[in-house]
Amino acid sequence: KVTPDDALASIIGSKAVKRSDILKSLWAYFKANGLNEGRTITLDATLKGSGIWGSKKTIQMTEVGKAMKHAS
């Protein structure tokens, strides 16, 4: 199990989770908030505020994995 840093914890919580559960939690967040349209994900205020994806307004599906760098 890995522990999310503060940036990632602001989205998925601070509880230690399996690496695979990080991506599941992120996708659940995207879907629950209607942020994904096909392969594009629009970042809301919470996601932008986390700083995980810098100052981008949207990311591609392939960029979701960058969040894994925020867990140890």
Side-chain angles (χ1 to χ4, degrees):
K1 291 191 175 192
V2 294
T3 304
D5 68 4
D6 292 341
L8 185 57
S10 68
I11 304 166
I12 68 165
S14 59
K15 182 179 173 185
V17 294
K18 294 182 205 173
R19 293 182 75 78
S20 60
D21 289 340
I22 292 173
L23 293 178
K24 287 178 187 176
S25 295
L26 286 171
W27 277 105
Y29 180 88
F30 300 154
K31 290 177 182 178
N33 292 287
L35 303 176
N36 63 309
E37 288 187 34
R39 298 178 62 89
T40 303
I41 297 146
T42 303
L43 303 183
D44 65 5
T46 301
L47 296 170
K48 287 178 191 172
S50 74
I52 293 173
W53 294 280
S55 60
K56 292 183 174 187
K57 293 180 181 178
T58 62
I59 59 170
Q60 295 301 310
M61 186 172 76
T62 56
E63 295 178 84
V64 174
K66 289 183 180 179
M68 299 304 277
K69 295 178 184 175
H70 292 271
S72 59

